[in-house]
Amino acid sequence: MSRKVWSFVNKYLQKDDLNVYSNHNRVSKFRTENVKDGIKVTYRCSSCRKYPECSFQVRALFNSQNEIIVSTSDTHNHKKRADTTRAPSPVRDIILKSVATRLTQAQVKRAVQNEYNGPVSTTQVTNLLKYHRSLTRPSMYSVDDFKQWCLQRAAIPPIQSLQDVFVSTYEIISCDNLFIFFTTKQLISVGALSRLLQVDATFKLNWNELPVLVFGCSDANRKFHPFGIALISSDESCDSYVKLFQSIKNTVFKVTGIQYEI
Protein backbone atom coordinates (compact mmCIF):
# COMPACT_ATOMS: atom_id res chain seq x y z
CA MET A 1 0.00 0.00 0.00
CA SER A 2 1.46 3.37 -1.06
CA ARG A 3 2.11 6.09 1.48
CA LYS A 4 -0.29 9.00 1.61
CA VAL A 5 0.78 12.25 0.01
CA TRP A 6 0.00 15.25 2.21
CA SER A 7 -0.49 18.78 0.87
CA PHE A 8 -0.08 21.83 3.08
CA VAL A 9 -3.30 23.84 3.40
CA ASN A 10 -2.95 26.50 6.07
CA LYS A 11 -1.50 27.47 9.43
CA TYR A 12 -3.92 28.43 12.22
CA LEU A 13 -3.39 29.99 15.63
CA GLN A 14 -6.86 29.29 17.03
CA LYS A 15 -8.56 25.91 17.38
CA ASP A 16 -11.88 27.51 16.41
CA ASP A 17 -10.44 28.14 12.94
CA LEU A 18 -9.58 24.46 12.67
CA ASN A 19 -13.12 23.51 13.72
CA VAL A 20 -14.58 25.75 11.04
CA TYR A 21 -12.31 24.18 8.44
CA SER A 22 -13.13 20.60 9.50
CA ASN A 23 -16.88 21.27 9.52
CA HIS A 24 -16.69 22.86 6.10
CA ASN A 25 -14.86 19.83 4.72
CA ARG A 26 -17.20 17.35 6.43
CA VAL A 27 -14.58 15.44 8.42
CA SER A 28 -14.56 14.02 11.96
CA LYS A 29 -11.74 13.14 14.36
CA PHE A 30 -10.24 9.74 13.60
CA ARG A 31 -6.96 9.41 15.49
CA THR A 32 -4.72 11.37 17.92
CA GLU A 33 -0.98 10.66 18.21
CA ASN A 34 1.95 12.08 20.17
CA VAL A 35 4.83 12.71 17.75
CA LYS A 36 8.23 14.37 17.96
CA ASP A 37 6.97 17.73 16.71
CA GLY A 38 3.87 17.85 18.92
CA ILE A 39 0.38 16.31 18.79
CA LYS A 40 -0.94 15.03 15.48
CA VAL A 41 -4.71 14.72 14.99
CA THR A 42 -6.06 12.96 11.91
CA TYR A 43 -9.57 13.56 10.60
CA ARG A 44 -11.38 11.45 8.04
CA CYS A 45 -14.52 11.84 5.95
CA SER A 46 -17.63 11.87 8.15
CA SER A 47 -19.38 9.61 5.62
CA CYS A 48 -16.55 7.11 5.16
CA ARG A 49 -18.66 4.21 6.41
CA LYS A 50 -21.35 5.06 3.92
CA TYR A 51 -18.76 5.58 1.15
CA PRO A 52 -15.84 3.23 1.95
CA GLU A 53 -13.86 4.30 -1.13
CA CYS A 54 -13.58 7.87 0.20
CA SER A 55 -10.00 8.27 1.45
CA PHE A 56 -10.04 12.03 2.10
CA GLN A 57 -8.25 12.94 5.33
CA VAL A 58 -7.15 16.09 7.15
CA ARG A 59 -4.10 16.17 9.41
CA ALA A 60 -3.58 18.85 12.05
CA LEU A 61 -0.23 19.16 13.82
CA PHE A 62 -0.27 21.09 17.11
CA ASN A 63 3.40 22.14 17.50
CA SER A 64 5.33 23.68 20.38
CA GLN A 65 4.90 27.20 18.94
CA ASN A 66 1.10 26.95 19.52
CA GLU A 67 0.56 26.73 15.79
CA ILE A 68 -1.80 24.35 14.02
CA ILE A 69 -0.38 23.10 10.72
CA VAL A 70 -3.15 21.71 8.53
CA SER A 71 -2.57 19.35 5.58
CA THR A 72 -4.88 17.19 3.46
CA SER A 73 -4.59 13.92 1.58
CA ASP A 74 -6.71 12.84 -1.43
CA THR A 75 -10.22 14.19 -2.16
CA HIS A 76 -13.77 13.16 -1.30
CA ASN A 77 -15.05 10.19 -3.32
CA HIS A 78 -18.78 9.53 -2.87
CA LYS A 79 -19.44 7.75 -6.13
CA LYS A 80 -20.07 4.27 -4.73
CA ARG A 81 -22.21 3.67 -1.67
CA ALA A 82 -21.57 0.69 0.63
CA ASP A 83 -24.00 -2.22 0.49
CA THR A 84 -26.48 -2.10 3.36
CA THR A 85 -29.86 -3.50 4.38
CA ARG A 86 -30.97 -0.06 5.55
CA ALA A 87 -33.17 2.13 3.39
CA PRO A 88 -31.19 4.85 1.58
CA SER A 89 -30.88 8.23 3.26
CA PRO A 90 -33.17 10.01 0.75
CA VAL A 91 -35.92 7.49 1.49
CA ARG A 92 -35.51 7.99 5.25
CA ASP A 93 -35.76 11.76 4.75
CA ILE A 94 -38.96 11.35 2.71
CA ILE A 95 -40.51 9.18 5.43
CA LEU A 96 -39.51 11.64 8.16
CA LYS A 97 -41.24 14.46 6.28
CA SER A 98 -44.27 12.25 5.66
CA VAL A 99 -44.62 11.39 9.36
CA ALA A 100 -44.37 15.08 10.26
CA THR A 101 -47.21 15.89 7.84
CA ARG A 102 -49.23 12.84 9.01
CA LEU A 103 -49.56 11.15 5.63
CA THR A 104 -51.18 7.73 5.44
CA GLN A 105 -49.13 4.64 4.64
CA ALA A 106 -50.40 4.59 1.05
CA GLN A 107 -49.52 8.28 0.62
CA VAL A 108 -46.03 7.66 2.03
CA LYS A 109 -45.42 4.84 -0.45
CA ARG A 110 -46.52 7.07 -3.34
CA ALA A 111 -44.25 9.86 -2.10
CA VAL A 112 -41.28 7.48 -2.05
CA GLN A 113 -42.08 6.26 -5.58
CA ASN A 114 -42.36 9.83 -6.90
CA GLU A 115 -39.34 11.34 -5.14
CA TYR A 116 -36.82 8.45 -5.18
CA ASN A 117 -35.62 6.72 -8.33
CA GLY A 118 -33.63 3.83 -6.84
CA PRO A 119 -34.89 0.45 -5.63
CA VAL A 120 -36.45 0.24 -2.15
CA SER A 121 -38.56 -2.56 -0.71
CA THR A 122 -42.07 -2.13 0.68
CA THR A 123 -40.93 -3.79 3.91
CA GLN A 124 -38.25 -1.14 4.47
CA VAL A 125 -40.77 1.66 3.98
CA THR A 126 -43.34 0.00 6.28
CA ASN A 127 -40.82 -0.69 9.06
CA LEU A 128 -39.38 2.82 8.92
CA LEU A 129 -42.86 4.31 8.99
CA LYS A 130 -43.84 2.24 12.04
CA TYR A 131 -40.62 3.20 13.84
CA HIS A 132 -40.90 6.96 13.29
CA ARG A 133 -44.60 6.94 14.14
CA SER A 134 -43.82 5.14 17.38
CA LEU A 135 -41.53 8.03 18.38
CA THR A 136 -44.45 10.48 18.27
CA ARG A 137 -46.96 8.32 20.15
CA PRO A 138 -48.30 9.72 23.43
CA SER A 139 -46.54 8.41 26.51
CA MET A 140 -49.40 6.16 27.61
CA TYR A 141 -48.53 2.59 28.48
CA SER A 142 -51.04 1.17 30.97
CA VAL A 143 -54.74 1.13 31.82
CA ASP A 144 -54.05 3.40 34.81
CA ASP A 145 -52.28 5.91 32.55
CA PHE A 146 -55.29 5.92 30.23
CA LYS A 147 -57.68 6.45 33.17
CA GLN A 148 -55.60 9.39 34.35
CA TRP A 149 -55.56 10.84 30.82
CA CYS A 150 -59.37 10.61 30.62
CA LEU A 151 -59.82 12.10 34.10
CA GLN A 152 -57.73 15.14 33.13
CA ARG A 153 -60.07 15.75 30.18
CA ALA A 154 -63.42 14.91 31.79
CA ALA A 155 -64.51 18.50 32.44
CA ILE A 156 -66.54 20.29 29.77
CA PRO A 157 -64.36 23.10 28.31
CA PRO A 158 -65.33 26.77 28.77
CA ILE A 159 -67.67 28.41 26.29
CA GLN A 160 -64.86 29.92 24.18
CA SER A 161 -63.15 26.53 23.70
CA LEU A 162 -65.54 24.99 21.19
CA GLN A 163 -62.87 22.84 19.50
CA ASP A 164 -61.20 21.39 22.61
CA VAL A 165 -61.64 17.63 22.97
CA PHE A 166 -63.09 16.34 26.23
CA VAL A 167 -64.04 12.88 27.50
CA SER A 168 -67.71 12.97 28.38
CA THR A 169 -67.97 9.37 29.58
CA TYR A 170 -65.39 6.70 30.25
CA GLU A 171 -65.18 3.27 31.84
CA ILE A 172 -61.86 1.43 31.68
CA ILE A 173 -61.59 -2.04 33.20
CA SER A 174 -58.90 -3.57 31.00
CA CYS A 175 -57.32 -3.10 27.56
CA ASP A 176 -60.15 -5.14 26.00
CA ASN A 177 -63.02 -3.97 28.22
CA LEU A 178 -63.54 -0.23 28.04
CA PHE A 179 -65.71 2.61 26.77
CA ILE A 180 -64.44 6.14 26.11
CA PHE A 181 -66.59 8.87 24.57
CA PHE A 182 -64.61 11.71 22.88
CA THR A 183 -66.23 14.88 21.56
CA THR A 184 -66.06 18.69 21.45
CA LYS A 185 -68.68 21.27 22.36
CA GLN A 186 -69.11 22.24 18.72
CA LEU A 187 -69.58 18.65 17.51
CA ILE A 188 -71.99 17.49 20.21
CA SER A 189 -74.10 20.66 19.91
CA VAL A 190 -75.20 19.51 16.46
CA GLY A 191 -76.97 16.60 18.15
CA ALA A 192 -79.58 18.94 19.59
CA LEU A 193 -80.62 19.90 16.03
CA SER A 194 -81.45 16.40 14.75
CA ARG A 195 -83.66 13.46 15.64
CA LEU A 196 -81.70 11.11 13.40
CA LEU A 197 -78.59 9.18 14.43
CA GLN A 198 -76.15 7.25 12.26
CA VAL A 199 -73.60 4.94 13.92
CA ASP A 200 -70.94 2.71 12.45
CA ALA A 201 -67.81 0.98 13.73
CA THR A 202 -64.43 1.30 12.03
CA PHE A 203 -61.26 -0.63 12.73
CA LYS A 204 -57.44 -0.56 12.52
CA LEU A 205 -57.18 2.98 13.90
CA ASN A 206 -55.23 2.17 17.06
CA TRP A 207 -52.40 -0.08 18.22
CA ASN A 208 -54.71 -2.35 20.25
CA GLU A 209 -57.06 -2.80 17.26
CA LEU A 210 -60.10 -1.75 19.30
CA PRO A 211 -63.23 -0.72 17.37
CA VAL A 212 -63.98 2.99 17.10
CA LEU A 213 -67.63 4.07 16.83
CA VAL A 214 -68.26 7.06 14.58
CA PHE A 215 -71.68 8.65 15.08
CA GLY A 216 -73.59 11.69 13.86
CA CYS A 217 -76.28 12.73 11.42
CA SER A 218 -76.67 13.75 7.77
CA ASP A 219 -78.38 16.86 6.42
CA ALA A 220 -80.60 17.28 3.36
CA ASN A 221 -77.51 17.64 1.16
CA ARG A 222 -76.17 14.26 2.38
CA LYS A 223 -73.35 15.89 4.29
CA PHE A 224 -72.36 13.96 7.41
CA HIS A 225 -72.02 15.88 10.70
CA PRO A 226 -70.15 13.85 13.37
CA PHE A 227 -71.06 14.20 17.04
CA GLY A 228 -67.84 12.56 18.21
CA ILE A 229 -66.20 9.14 18.43
CA ALA A 230 -66.14 6.35 21.00
CA LEU A 231 -63.46 3.76 21.70
CA ILE A 232 -65.15 0.53 22.74
CA SER A 233 -64.39 -3.05 23.80
CA SER A 234 -62.94 -5.48 21.32
CA ASP A 235 -66.06 -7.67 21.25
CA GLU A 236 -68.25 -4.76 20.01
CA SER A 237 -71.06 -5.94 22.28
CA CYS A 238 -74.62 -4.64 22.57
CA ASP A 239 -73.70 -3.08 25.91
CA SER A 240 -71.26 -0.73 24.15
CA TYR A 241 -74.05 0.67 21.99
CA VAL A 242 -76.34 1.10 25.00
CA LYS A 243 -73.62 3.13 26.72
CA LEU A 244 -73.14 5.15 23.55
CA PHE A 245 -76.82 6.13 23.23
CA GLN A 246 -77.01 7.05 26.91
CA SER A 247 -73.79 9.07 26.69
CA ILE A 248 -74.97 11.01 23.63
CA LYS A 249 -78.24 11.90 25.34
CA ASN A 250 -76.56 12.97 28.59
CA THR A 251 -73.76 14.92 26.88
CA VAL A 252 -76.10 16.84 24.57
CA PHE A 253 -78.13 17.92 27.60
CA LYS A 254 -75.05 18.90 29.62
CA VAL A 255 -73.63 21.05 26.81
CA THR A 256 -76.83 22.56 25.31
CA GLY A 257 -79.51 22.12 27.97
CA ILE A 258 -81.73 20.47 25.33
CA GLN A 259 -83.18 16.97 25.70
CA TYR A 260 -81.90 14.75 22.89
CA GLU A 261 -84.56 12.49 21.41
CA ILE A 262 -83.81 10.07 18.58
Side-chain angles (χ1 to χ4, degrees):
M1 184 175 179
S2 60
R3 293 174 60 87
K4 284 186 172 292
V5 178
W6 295 92
S7 302
F8 172 77
V9 174
N10 209 337
K11 181 190 296 184
Y12 297 122
L13 298 177
Q14 300 293 332
K15 191 174 181 180
D16 289 343
D17 296 330
L18 175 62
N19 292 336
V20 171
Y21 178 82
S22 60
N23 291 335
H24 178 73
N25 285 274
R26 305 187 304 279
V27 292
S28 56
K29 187 180 290 188
F30 173 51
R31 185 170 54 233
T32 302
E33 302 171 275
N34 289 315
V35 295
K36 181 180 178 181
D37 297 327
I39 299 175
K40 183 175 68 176
V41 181
T42 305
Y43 300 79
R44 64 180 178 180
C45 174
S46 300
S47 304
C48 63
R49 292 186 179 179
K50 192 182 298 183
Y51 303 98
E53 293 184 359
C54 183
S55 57
F56 177 71
Q57 290 188 352
V58 174
R59 186 173 66 186
L61 176 63
F62 295 78
N63 62 26
S64 57
Q65 286 78 40
N66 294 325
E67 298 173 330
I68 307 172
I69 312 299
V70 177
S71 307
T72 61
S73 176
D74 299 325
T75 58
H76 282 294
N77 179 7
H78 294 174
K79 294 180 180 180
K80 185 177 180 181
R81 189 186 181 98
D83 295 332
T84 177
T85 57
R86 297 180 64 193
S89 298
V91 173
R92 297 200 298 271
D93 292 339
I94 294 169
I95 292 175
L96 273 173
K97 293 177 184 177
S98 301
V99 170
T101 53
R102 299 185 179 182
L103 297 184
T104 65
Q105 183 166 323
Q107 290 173 326
V108 172
K109 289 179 179 178
R110 284 198 294 271
V112 172
Q113 291 173 354
N114 294 334
E115 298 180 33
Y116 183 71
N117 296 324
V120 58
S121 70
T122 303
T123 303
Q124 286 178 322
V125 174
T126 302
N127 291 341
L128 269 173
L129 187 59
K130 285 182 179 179
Y131 170 71
H132 287 296
R133 280 177 173 172
S134 70
L135 299 179
T136 58
R137 283 187 304 174
S139 55
M140 186 181 298
Y141 304 102
S142 68
V143 168
D144 291 334
D145 291 333
F146 202 3
K147 285 181 181 178
Q148 188 64 31
W149 187 91
C150 292
L151 179 62
Q152 293 171 355
R153 292 159 179 80
I156 297 176
I159 189 170
Q160 68 272 17
S161 303
L162 296 177
Q163 303 289 355
D164 288 358
V165 176
F166 68 98
V167 179
S168 172
T169 309
Y170 68 94
E171 181 181 1
I172 305 174
I173 299 173
S174 68
C175 291
D176 298 316
N177 187 0
L178 48 78
F179 177 88
I180 303 101
F181 182 112
F182 305 90
T183 187
T184 69
K185 292 185 71 173
Q186 181 162 327
L187 291 179
I188 200 66
S189 297
V190 180
L193 307 177
S194 175
R195 292 181 177 270
L196 302 175
L197 179 65
Q198 296 166 295
V199 186
D200 195 13
T202 185
F203 305 89
K204 297 184 179 179
L205 296 184
N206 51 76
W207 288 89
N208 293 76
E209 298 187 355
L210 296 172
V212 175
L213 296 181
V214 181
F215 48 92
C217 65
S218 296
D219 58 22
N221 295 320
R222 299 182 179 180
K223 181 180 179 181
F224 182 70
H225 299 273
F227 298 168
I229 61 173
L231 186 67
I232 65 173
S233 301
S234 56
D235 58 357
E236 200 181 345
S237 64
C238 177
D239 186 54
S240 296
Y241 287 90
V242 172
K243 290 178 183 176
L244 174 68
F245 300 146
Q246 292 174 341
S247 298
I248 295 174
K249 188 171 184 177
N250 294 337
T251 307
V252 169
F253 182 75
K254 287 179 183 177
V255 173
T256 67
I258 301 174
Q259 290 289 348
Y260 178 63
E261 299 294 341
I262 303 174

